[in-house]
Amino acid sequence: MHFEADYEAFMRLHEAERSGESLRRLQEGHDHAEKLFLEQVWWPAVGHFDYLHPECEVRDFRDGTRFLDFAYIRGPLKACFEIDGYGPHSRDISRWQFADQLIRQNHLVLDGWMVIRFAYDDIREKPRRCQQIVQQLLGRWFGEQGAADLELSFKEKEIIRLAVQCHDSVTPRDVSFRLGISVRYARELLHVLAKRRVLLPASGTERIRSYRLNPHGKRYFL
């Protein structure tokens, strides 16, 4: 699949799961620099968006909340990816704001986060160097493949087999007929597989009507 198609599905899935301030932050905070990181660095290095969360809301050490540019959460391991631009805003922050940023990052580390920061200029001009850092991190955690086998239930495996056979897209009604379960339960199973990035939305915006198999994940569960 081309980057644009999976990127649109990735963003649509996260938008559908959010509301309020979290949705507003995703729509306004995820901008050119963040998309460039995905296109120039993450996609060439990894090839899919499994376990990646844009504008991820986390609990702040002051009992508030803050948003990370990207969070990679996989089992007990979690990494924060931040894109830093060098411009008037970054140059003109006060000493107090600078110190506060460092304290916030320290607390992320104490909470078990691996914090990786990229300069916008490096993403734009030296993407290969950034890709190597991502690959080294995933390789260190999960081996050279950058991914571990997914643990799937019998019903989930049957849904995947159905998606392969359909070649196009699979609907809750298709799954209901195949497994002999209610359409509502079929929709819940499909939603879980979509959250795990095994499936991607194929049609629908407010409510996803059909799903397709994530082409970059086939090697992990087939």
Side-chain angles (χ1 to χ4, degrees):
M1 288 295 295
H2 295 296
F3 166 78
E4 285 294 339
D6 273 11
Y7 171 75
E8 291 299 326
F10 169 67
M11 294 301 296
R12 191 163 70 241
L13 180 65
H14 283 279
E15 287 176 351
E17 294 176 343
R18 302 193 189 186
S19 61
E21 176 62 16
S22 180
L23 177 60
R24 185 196 69 80
R25 182 60 183 249
L26 177 62
Q27 293 173 335
E28 297 181 5
H30 184 89
D31 206 350
H32 168 73
E34 288 75 23
K35 182 178 180 180
L36 188 67
F37 167 75
L38 294 178
E39 185 172 13
Q40 294 279 83
V41 178
W42 191 268
W43 181 261
V46 183
H48 57 77
F49 300 125
D50 301 7
Y51 311 105
L52 194 66
H53 304 267
E55 291 297 325
C56 181
E57 185 176 9
V58 297
R59 179 64 59 181
D60 187 81
F61 72 100
R62 291 174 175 168
D63 294 327
T65 58
R66 64 172 300 187
F67 290 87
L68 311 178
D69 287 344
F70 294 99
Y72 184 81
I73 304 173
R74 188 169 172 184
L77 303 173
K78 49 190 181 179
C80 159
F81 294 92
E82 293 285 305
I83 294 87
D84 298 317
Y86 184 75
H89 175 72
S90 59
R91 290 195 303 266
D92 296 340
I93 63 173
S94 67
R95 287 178 177 271
W96 180 87
Q97 290 171 318
F98 176 71
D100 186 62
Q101 287 179 0
L102 297 182
I103 290 295
R104 286 169 180 265
Q105 177 169 314
N106 291 341
H107 277 273
L108 279 175
V109 174
L110 292 174
D111 285 339
W113 288 87
M114 171 79 73
V115 180
I116 306 293
R117 308 190 77 98
F118 292 108
Y120 171 79
D121 289 346
D122 273 354
I123 291 172
R124 185 182 60 183
E125 300 170 7
K126 302 173 184 176
R128 182 54 189 152
R129 183 164 72 177
C130 301
Q131 293 167 22
Q132 290 172 339
I133 292 175
V134 171
Q135 290 171 334
Q136 288 169 4
L137 173 63
L138 298 186
R140 176 183 175 185
W141 279 356
F142 305 109
E144 292 184 0
Q145 293 296 322
D149 291 336
L150 291 169
E151 295 183 1
L152 300 172
S153 68
F154 171 78
K155 288 186 174 64
E156 290 171 332
K157 290 178 180 177
E158 283 300 306
I159 292 173
I160 292 168
R161 293 190 184 97
L162 177 61
V164 172
Q165 293 167 2
C166 289
H167 297 295
D168 184 15
S169 61
V170 61
T171 67
R173 191 167 296 278
D174 295 332
V175 173
S176 171
F177 181 78
R178 175 68 168 258
L179 299 181
I181 59 178
S182 69
V183 174
R184 179 177 179 179
Y185 183 31
R187 186 174 290 111
E188 291 176 357
L189 291 174
L190 288 166
H191 181 69
V192 169
L193 288 173
K195 288 191 69 173
R196 298 174 72 183
R197 305 298 294 161
V198 175
L199 299 178
L200 299 174
S203 65
T205 52
E206 293 295 327
R207 182 169 183 170
I208 300 171
R209 296 189 296 273
S210 63
Y211 298 80
R212 61 183 174 84
L213 193 61
N214 184 342
H216 296 290
K218 289 182 181 179
R219 63 186 181 278
Y220 304 140
F221 44 75
L222 293 181

